[in-house]
Coordinates of all heavy atoms in Angstrom, one line a residue:
A708 N -7.8 -17.0 5.7 CA -6.4 -17.1 6.1 C -5.8 -15.8 6.6 O -4.6 -15.7 6.9 CB -5.5 -17.6 5.0
F709 N -6.7 -14.8 6.8 CA -6.2 -13.4 7.2 C -5.3 -13.5 8.4 O -5.7 -14.1 9.4 CB -7.4 -12.5 7.4 CG -7.0 -11.1 7.6 CD1 -6.9 -10.2 6.5 CD2 -6.9 -10.5 8.9 CE1 -6.5 -8.9 6.7 CE2 -6.5 -9.2 9.1 CZ -6.4 -8.4 7.9
T710 N -4.2 -12.8 8.4 CA -3.2 -13.0 9.4 C -2.9 -11.7 10.2 O -1.9 -11.6 10.9 CB -1.8 -13.5 8.8 OG1 -1.4 -12.6 7.8 CG2 -2.0 -14.9 8.3
G711 N -3.6 -10.6 10.0 CA -3.3 -9.3 10.6 C -3.4 -9.4 12.1 O -4.2 -10.2 12.7
E712 N -2.6 -8.6 12.8 CA -2.6 -8.5 14.2 C -3.6 -7.5 14.7 O -3.3 -6.3 14.8 CB -1.1 -8.1 14.7 CG -0.1 -9.2 14.4 CD 1.3 -8.8 15.0 OE1 1.4 -7.8 15.7 OE2 2.2 -9.5 14.7
G713 N -4.8 -8.0 14.9 CA -5.9 -7.2 15.3 C -7.2 -8.0 15.2 O -7.1 -9.2 15.2
T714 N -8.3 -7.3 15.2 CA -9.6 -8.0 15.2 C -10.4 -7.5 14.0 O -10.5 -6.3 13.7 CB -10.4 -7.7 16.5 OG1 -9.7 -8.1 17.6 CG2 -11.8 -8.3 16.5
V715 N -10.9 -8.5 13.2 CA -11.8 -8.2 12.1 C -13.2 -8.5 12.4 O -13.6 -9.5 12.9 CB -11.4 -9.0 10.9 CG1 -12.3 -8.7 9.7 CG2 -9.9 -8.7 10.4
L716 N -14.1 -7.5 12.2 CA -15.5 -7.6 12.3 C -16.1 -7.4 10.9 O -15.8 -6.5 10.3 CB -16.1 -6.6 13.3 CG -15.5 -6.5 14.7 CD1 -16.2 -5.3 15.4 CD2 -15.6 -7.8 15.4
R717 N -17.0 -8.4 10.5 CA -17.6 -8.3 9.2 C -19.1 -8.1 9.4 O -19.7 -8.9 10.1 CB -17.3 -9.5 8.4 CG -15.8 -9.8 8.2 CD -15.5 -11.1 7.4 NE -14.1 -11.3 7.2 CZ -13.3 -11.9 8.0 NH1 -13.7 -12.5 9.1 NH2 -12.0 -12.0 7.7
L718 N -19.7 -7.0 8.9 CA -21.1 -6.8 9.0 C -21.8 -6.9 7.7 O -21.3 -6.4 6.7 CB -21.3 -5.3 9.6 CG -21.0 -5.2 11.1 CD1 -19.5 -5.0 11.3 CD2 -21.8 -3.9 11.6
A719 N -23.0 -7.5 7.7 CA -23.8 -7.6 6.5 C -25.1 -6.9 6.8 O -25.7 -7.1 7.9 CB -24.0 -9.1 6.2
G720 N -25.6 -6.2 5.8 CA -26.9 -5.6 5.8 C -27.8 -6.5 5.0 O -27.5 -6.6 3.8

Side-chain angles (χ1 to χ4, degrees):
F709 188 85
T710 57
E712 294 183 7
T714 300
V715 176
L716 307 176
R717 300 176 178 94
L718 284 81

